[in-house]
Amino acid sequence: MTLPKSIRMAGHTIEIVIDDSIADFGNYDADALRITIRPGPPEVMRLTLRHEMLHAALSLSGIAYIDKLPEEAIVRAMDTIFWPSYDALNTKRKR
């Protein structure tokens, strides 16, 4: 899958790197402003990028720095509850 080399978010440029040496599907490095994605099936890479972009958004907004914030739980809730509902809504609109 061809991903962009970078994205703009909240006035920052976030680099996107494909790296087959990482153990996770992907990760966001707030200090380096970098999203790293492990190569895989195109749909998995697309969903991983979206997941890591949510981490980036929480970080850049400052929300990720709230003590005891269950950030991964919030991002996974978006992945499994919000986005499927949003995608279904958009599919209905296109019909």
Side-chain angles (χ1 to χ4, degrees), residues 13-33:
T13 299
I14 300 172
E15 179 185 19
I16 299 173
V17 176
I18 307 299
D19 183 349
D20 61 3
S21 70
I22 64 172
D24 296 325
F25 286 101
N27 61 56
Y28 171 65
D29 182 332
D31 294 327
L33 292 175

Side-chain angles (χ1 to χ4, degrees), residues 45-57:
M45 291 177 69
R46 185 184 75 79
L47 293 174
T48 301
L49 176 60
R50 185 172 72 182
H51 178 97
E52 297 307 329
M53 287 175 67
L54 284 169
H55 282 293

Side-chain angles (χ1 to χ4, degrees), residues 74-90:
I74 291 168
V75 172
R76 286 184 183 235
M78 297 289 288
D79 286 342
T80 60
I81 298 169
F82 175 78
W83 286 116
S85 297
Y86 181 82
D87 291 343
L89 177 66
N90 283 334

